[in-house]
Amino acid sequence: MTQSTYPPRRIKSFARCAGRMTPAQKRAVDEVLPQYLWSKDAVVDKPLVLDIGFGMGHSLAWQAEQYPQFHFLGAEVFMPGAARLATLLQEKKLTNVHIAYGDVVLLLKEQLPVQCLAGVQIFFPDPWPKKRHHKRRLLQGDFLDRLLPHMKAGAFLHFASDWAEYCLAVKAVLASYPMLSFEKPLFGVDALERPKTRYEDRGVVQGHDIVDILVWSKHE
Ligand SMILES: C[S@@+](CC[C@H](N)C(=O)[O-])C[C@H]1O[C@@H](n2cnc3c(N)ncnc32)[C@H](O)[C@@H]1O
């Protein structure tokens, strides 16, 4: 594991937490979201997959429906997105998803046991294209230092992006961790099918290539 520490004043990987919400969204925040909120005492009896930055939650709700044998924990800092996912879960009567509303860094620090994850998904994170903003990108060494202790041996990490230069940087940082392998180990968990996401659609419209990167945790 590389050694890096968080800067004293943490740099945020997101630009907005709340947007203007419709009355229906506000109602969902008050009445529906609380039923799905994650707490560290939550009892989970299936392999747990963390989805970081699920946006409006459509792809995560799709996966929860397709994969009832998994339990999903969606982390999202954008309140209208958390409210939307909660509403989708209620409409589809899905019980295999919890929502961690807030910064995933705090979730990892305070609300998630070590060695509990069978998989981690980061689909189309904000690319922060300007060089002076690269430090705000989510997937880099200091974040991996926080995330990896929560992954079980054989857990997958699935990253997808339409931003070529971010993908190159991610590949390089992942390759610098000896405990990660680009080949699935025999005891590794198969990554789940990734549905097309909203941000993927945007990237495709802009003519960007989509890149998926998969690694597995090898540590015992
Ligand atoms: C570009 S969107 C992608 C949404 C979705 N995965 C998709 O592909 O359509 C990135 C999302 O990550 C969320 N996000 C960024 N940093 C985060 C953090 N530190 N904790 C939780 N969510 C975060 C943002 O609020 C945003 O909704």
Side-chain angles (χ1 to χ4, degrees):
M1 192 181 284
T2 62
Q3 292 301 312
S4 53
T5 50
Y6 272 96
R9 203 164 152 265
R10 213 175 52 71
I11 293 162
K12 293 191 177 122
S13 59
F14 48 89
R16 54 182 194 165
C17 296
R20 188 170 293 185
M21 288 200 288
T22 63
Q25 284 173 325
K26 284 188 191 145
R27 223 176 13 257
V29 167
D30 291 338
E31 293 168 19
V32 189
L33 180 58
Q35 301 163 37
Y36 295 97
L37 286 178
W38 173 257
S39 96
K40 63 179 166 202
D41 308 319
V43 179
V44 173
D45 54 3
K46 297 171 180 177
L48 183 64
V49 174
L50 172 65
D51 187 297
I52 303 176
F54 56 73
M56 297 307 275
H58 295 92
S59 60
L60 184 49
W62 182 90
Q63 283 190 322
E65 216 168 7
Q66 298 300 310
Y67 295 102
Q69 68 275 38
F70 284 90
H71 197 94
F72 295 85
L73 174 58
E76 177 54 67
V77 77
F78 185 53
M79 192 182 269
R84 183 71 191 114
L85 176 60
T87 308
L88 285 170
L89 298 176
Q90 190 182 52
E91 284 167 4
K92 291 171 182 280
K93 298 187 172 39
L94 291 166
T95 55
N96 59 334
V97 183
H98 274 92
I99 298 174
Y101 167 63
D103 187 343
V104 68
V105 174
L106 297 180
L107 170 76
L108 296 174
K109 208 170 145 191
E110 294 164 7
Q111 296 286 330
L112 202 66
V114 292
Q115 301 247 336
C116 71
L117 297 173
V120 180
Q121 307 180 143
I122 309 177
F123 296 152
F124 302 88
D126 301 289
W128 295 106
K130 290 184 184 154
K131 195 153 193 226
R132 69 174 193 278
H133 288 153
H134 283 184
K135 57 181 179 284
R136 300 186 68 156
R137 288 177 170 172
L138 184 68
L139 191 41
Q140 38 193 324
D142 51 6
F143 182 71
L144 280 171
D145 291 345
R146 281 239 183 259
L147 175 67
L148 297 184
H150 297 276
M151 291 171 66
K152 292 182 172 189
F156 64 84
L157 169 58
H158 185 175
F159 172 93
S161 175
D162 63 323
W163 205 263
E165 181 266 322
Y166 190 7
C167 293
L168 286 178
V170 164
K171 272 187 193 152
V173 74
L174 292 173
S176 75
Y177 281 76
M179 62 168 288
L180 293 175
S181 163
F182 286 89
E183 300 282 321
K184 181 163 81 92
L186 283 178
F187 55 91
V189 180
D190 283 320
L192 312 183
E193 185 184 340
R194 179 175 65 73
K196 233 174 178 225
T197 77
R198 294 203 155 180
Y199 277 85
E200 173 172 6
D201 282 337
R202 283 195 197 178
V204 169
V205 168
Q206 288 166 6
H208 297 170
D209 289 333
I210 306 300
V211 177
D212 284 272
I213 301 172
L214 265 168
V215 289
W216 282 265
S217 168
K218 293 190 289 190
H219 71 158
E220 297 301 322

